[in-house]
Amino acid sequence: MPDHAQGHGLGGQMMTEFLTWAGPARIRPGVPDCDERALRFYQRHGFEITGERYLWRGRLPSPYL
């Protein structure tokens, strides 16, 4: 999301709607370690780092949430 579009709560609203729609389905987003802002976003919405990791595009270590 462009910087000018961040900080207005739209992403949070969309995540809330998505989680309501998804119900009890298991959702496992992967986020590169270097994307601290995205990690905080997912954690604010109840996701936890599982300890499992994978290489995104074969090079960026990324935890599953």
Side-chain angles (χ1 to χ4, degrees), residues 26-40:
R26 184 175 182 194
I27 302 165
R28 297 182 65 197
V31 178
D33 282 340
C34 60
D35 195 343
E36 294 177 15
R37 190 173 193 163
L39 288 169
R40 286 192 312 269

Side-chain angles (χ1 to χ4, degrees), residues 11-23:
Q13 292 172 13
M14 291 171 59
M15 179 61 77
T16 298
E17 289 294 322
F18 171 73
L19 293 173
T20 299
W21 173 83

